[in-house]
Amino acid sequence: MNNKNIYMDYQSAKPVDAEVIDSMNEYHQTRYGNPSSLHKIGDDATETLDSSRETIAKWIHGEKDEVLFTSGATESINLGIIGYALRNKRKGNHIIMSEVEHISLHNIAKYLERNGFQISKVPVDQYGRIKLDKLRSRIKEETILISVQMANNEIGTIQPIKEIGEIAKEKGIAFHTDAVAAEGQMDIDVQANNINLMTLSSNDIYGPRGVGVLYMQKGFRVQPLIIGGGQERGFRSGSENMPGIVGMKKAVEILEHKMGAELERMKSFQKLFIKEILESNPDTYLNGHPVHRLINNSHFRFDGIEGESILLSFKDKNIAVSTGSACSSKTLEPSHTLIATGLLHEEAHGSLELTTGRYTNLEEVKTVIEEVPGIVKRLRDLSPLYKK
């Protein structure tokens, strides 16, 4: 990043680690073989593909043959949800998801409803955490799939994934989780949590964009959505993106080495953000769970002002922040996640999301904290909604 810019929007996009770029270069220029080719250069590509698959499988406590490479999180979640639904429609046509899933899954739900599936959405508490009793009450004989994100991409709340997995296993229902927001923030163990399908993204661990993974446990199958040459065991056709896959493998290796120290540093930043911003700005609240939350996420609500105004005020100071999901930030509608937690529309509009990452430093954190009171006061002085 330019030294004049401060970046506090790591949840929407992350830079690619320099070591990752270095690892990819030879696969662009000298080791450019296709794994489907039968010559020696193709064999080398096959060995690299297998090695990458194995590294990622070990990272999530899965097996090599359970890792399918895709073009990114969006394709992975489409293949996991739509692919599983279509493959198993004879067993039932009912799918359960939470009200606070990423916007992509809500749009997938609309697509499935237009194609004969029933969708039930489970409410959350004031912190955005799923209510397990409500989940149980929505299960029917026709239920074939439960999908609940591992952690929320906006407010950072971590879901009770282990308990959800146990319920799904008990009822004989497939369990999918979108783990994109949680990557690099917490340990991911598909076996311990009874996860059958899981979405992963390369860029969310400082790998290249355009690469993702669908974890699919042995014994579970999806209907392919891309038809072609039969790559990825026939579930995802198209020549594998070898430079990108190698980059994701390297990103996992770096993460395993750096994760402990990174989490400690980001936890200290989070504590500072929450303490200072809440103490220095009256009528300000923390969104999301106070304990069960991602370590890099600090999400605030300010009475009387709009998040877009806060974002633009920070933009004038060359500080990049967010009001919520980057995938829906260009709409004028309030966050569906915040509405699901019980906030009114005007309350949900006044939010600020700060997410730190690998390259965030203490000086940047302090600068943001120092800027907040002035921005909030100026916007409240201009706002007819704020009652002093």
Side-chain angles (χ1 to χ4, degrees), residues 371-385:
E371 294 289 353
V372 172
I375 290 173
V376 170
K377 183 180 185 305
R378 181 179 66 82
L379 293 176
R380 281 176 170 167
D381 287 343
L382 296 171
S383 173
L385 301 176

Side-chain angles (χ1 to χ4, degrees), residues 129-130 132 135-136 146 148-151 158-171 173-177 182 186-196 198 292:
R129 212 155 192 249
I130 195 170
L132 295 175
L135 171 63
R136 282 187 176 276
I146 295 171
V148 177
Q149 60 190 183
M150 192 167 288
I158 298 171
Q159 299 293 350
I161 292 298
K162 184 176 179 61
E163 291 83 351
I164 297 169
E166 289 172 349
I167 292 172
K169 184 177 181 180
E170 171 196 332
K171 298 293 184 180
I173 301 168
F175 175 38
H176 167 270
T177 186
M186 54 192 288
D187 290 327
I188 297 176
D189 191 331
V190 292
Q191 294 184 32
N193 293 295
N194 296 305
I195 295 168
N196 311 121
M198 182 171 69
H292 301 292

Side-chain angles (χ1 to χ4, degrees), residues 309-353:
S309 299
I310 303 172
L311 187 152
L312 293 174
S313 297
F314 273 109
K315 183 178 180 180
D316 290 340
K317 298 178 181 295
N318 295 319
I319 299 174
V321 300
S322 176
T323 59
S325 172
C327 297
S328 56
S329 61
K330 293 186 178 182
T331 72
L332 295 178
E333 293 298 314
S335 160
H336 70 276
T337 296
L338 294 178
I339 295 299
T341 65
L343 295 182
L344 300 174
H345 278 55
E346 56 268 29
E347 293 174 325
H349 268 301
S351 294
L352 168 68
E353 180 181 4

Side-chain angles (χ1 to χ4, degrees), residues 4-15:
K4 294 182 180 180
N5 293 315
I6 295 176
Y7 189 68
M8 293 287 167
D9 193 19
Y10 275 82
Q11 192 59 63
S12 67
K14 292 180 174 64

Side-chain angles (χ1 to χ4, degrees), residues 1-10 15 206 261-262 264-270 272-273 296 319 354-370:
M1 300 297 294
N2 186 306
N3 289 333
K4 294 182 180 180
N5 293 315
I6 295 176
Y7 189 68
M8 293 287 167
D9 193 19
Y10 275 82
Y206 305 93
E262 284 188 353
E264 285 295 322
R265 194 163 51 85
M266 288 190 287
K267 183 65 176 177
S268 68
F269 294 158
Q270 184 187 65
L272 197 59
F273 271 138
N296 77 329
I319 299 174
L354 302 171
T355 49
T356 59
R358 181 168 293 171
Y359 307 105
T360 306
N361 61 55
L362 181 59
E363 182 181 350
E364 292 173 330
V365 171
K366 289 182 176 179
T367 298
V368 172
I369 290 171
E370 290 171 0

Side-chain angles (χ1 to χ4, degrees), residues 26 36 45 54 63 106 115 147 194 205 243 248 302 380:
E26 63 177 325
S36 297
E54 188 169 1
E63 297 183 23
H106 284 277
N115 286 274
S147 184
N194 296 305
I205 52 171
M248 187 173 184
F302 303 91
R380 281 176 170 167

